Amino acid sequence: MRQDISFDAEGTTLRGWLYLPDGATGPAPAIVMCHGYSAVKELFLDAFAEVFCDAGFCALVYDNRNLGASDGEPRQEIDPHAQIADYRHAITFARSLDEVDSDRIGVWGSSYSGAHVLVVGAIDRRVKCVVAQVPLISGHENARRLIRSDLIAPTQGMFEADREARYRGEAPAMIPVVAPEGEPCALPTADSYEWFTTSGAERAPSWINECTLRSVEMFLEYEPGTYLPWISPTPLLLVVARGDHLTVSDLAIDAYERAREPKKLEILDGGHFDAYIADFERSSTAARDWFVQHLMAGAREHAHA
């Protein structure tokens, strides 16, 4: 069963869906979920939530602030640190629900939110299990894979000009999230353009192809991989796509070595966006099984205590 929900994130209302498992006889473990860079919940998060719900979990899915159905200004600003704080607000909200076993909360994220759950898992001990799918590991390293070396200085110049314009009271500069090859955008890969302009247009009419230029600057400064060693002893599943050249796979596999036990690495065959479609069965099943292993046994013990 799915119902619309909203909750307060220290003055900003975030909106989404709550999935409740059929036939639950008491509070169930919950998975808190939101999407990646600029994406909204209609872009396949419902499919993952349904898999988790069918396995007996509550699933709390919401749109990031400034995007989709959620409130927040400036619109289309993607602030990783605000999004991390909102994961924690969502966990607090989930724990307040009668249907949720507040001692059995997992977090799931993908791409940019896959990065966020690494941080949340390290700093918030209410989280008892983490699944990070095709996550960003290092904004600095990743940007140097995506931005040609001769364009790094001009890009930084754009950030500086935008900062000074905002100081003068001008509106934040905007940039497309995706664009045809060779045109400036936040996610400059061909598969990013393909996925957002086909799946995005079909499944998520609320998705908007722009973000603040400042969002790209924050991406370059974001280092979620720093937190990997601190997630332990919370169980971590890292789902990596072998052909990922957006959040590049070798950085993620290298980062896995820095995480401590308990941990597991699942390597999908396809590219970054195949995790949602072509490799969906593998990516969703791996996540479901990890959550079952680490949250369900505890839930049964808790229920019988």
Side-chain angles (χ1 to χ4, degrees):
M1 181 178 74
R2 184 177 100 183
Q3 60 193 57
D4 292 340
I5 52 94
S6 63
F7 59 94
D8 175 59
E10 294 188 340
T12 298
T13 299
L14 306 184
R15 297 183 180 86
W17 302 317
L18 177 65
Y19 289 78
L20 299 173
D22 293 333
T25 56
I31 313 301
V32 175
M33 315 167 55
C34 67
H35 221 318
Y37 201 91
S38 87
V40 292
K41 61 188 182 301
E42 290 83 3
L43 281 167
F44 302 98
L45 290 201
D46 49 346
F48 285 92
E50 286 164 8
V51 169
F52 302 154
C53 191
D54 288 347
F57 296 98
C58 302
L60 174 62
V61 183
Y62 65 96
D63 279 338
N64 284 299
R65 68 173 55 221
N66 311 333
L67 302 171
S70 289
D71 290 350
E73 298 288 342
R75 298 306 290 174
Q76 302 304 120
E77 178 138 293
I78 303 162
D79 181 338
H81 305 292
Q83 292 182 353
I84 288 164
D86 288 342
Y87 254 108
R88 305 182 78 182
H89 295 314
I91 290 165
T92 302
F93 171 65
R95 283 166 52 93
S96 76
L97 300 172
D98 292 340
E99 298 90 345
V100 169
D101 180 344
S102 61
D103 293 327
R104 298 289 179 262
I105 303 286
V107 290
W108 178 99
S110 187
S111 195
Y112 216 38
S113 65
H116 303 343
V117 297
L118 299 176
V119 181
V120 174
I123 64 178
D124 196 324
R125 290 302 164 190
R126 298 175 300 173
V127 173
K128 298 303 191 290
C129 191
V130 177
V131 175
Q133 175 177 286
V134 294
L136 173 75
I137 298 298
S138 166
H140 182 88
E141 295 288 345
N142 216 98
R144 276 153 177 72
R145 303 293 186 92
L146 296 175
I147 303 172
R148 254 178 32 206
S149 59
D150 60 322
L151 296 179
I152 290 173
T155 300
Q156 290 169 331
M158 289 168 59
F159 297 152
E160 292 159 8
D162 177 49
R163 188 173 291 277
E164 293 178 6
R166 296 197 313 269
Y167 182 78
R168 294 193 297 269
E170 297 175 25
M174 307 299 288
I175 189 171
V177 176
V178 296
E181 188 169 356
E183 297 181 19
C185 63
L187 304 178
T189 68
D191 58 345
S192 299
Y193 180 72
E194 169 74 16
W195 189 74
F196 275 110
T197 56
T198 56
S199 297
E202 292 165 10
R203 292 181 63 102
S206 66
W207 177 74
I208 297 172
N209 186 21
E210 67 174 5
C211 63
T212 63
L213 182 62
R214 177 167 49 185
S215 301
V216 182
E217 185 177 23
M218 288 187 278
F219 177 104
L220 269 62
E221 298 167 355
Y222 183 32
E223 295 297 323
T226 304
Y227 291 82
L228 271 160
W230 307 330
I231 297 170
S232 175
T234 304
L236 168 67
L237 171 65
L238 203 62
V239 180
V240 177
R242 189 188 309 274
D244 195 336
H245 48 259
L246 181 60
T247 54
V248 286
S249 55
D250 61 293
L251 292 181
I253 293 168
D254 177 65
Y256 176 77
E257 300 301 320
R258 302 201 300 273
R260 300 194 173 105
E261 299 288 349
K263 63 180 181 177
K264 182 179 179 182
L265 178 65
E266 182 81 18
I267 300 182
L268 308 176
D269 293 328
H272 185 87
F273 296 97
D274 288 321
Y276 305 102
I277 307 173
D279 290 332
F280 169 75
E281 187 169 349
R282 275 192 63 196
S283 61
S284 62
T285 299
R288 178 201 67 197
D289 292 351
W290 190 248
F291 286 133
V292 167
Q293 178 182 346
H294 294 286
L295 295 178
M296 278 300 181
R300 285 194 291 271
E301 291 161 10
H302 187 66
H304 294 131

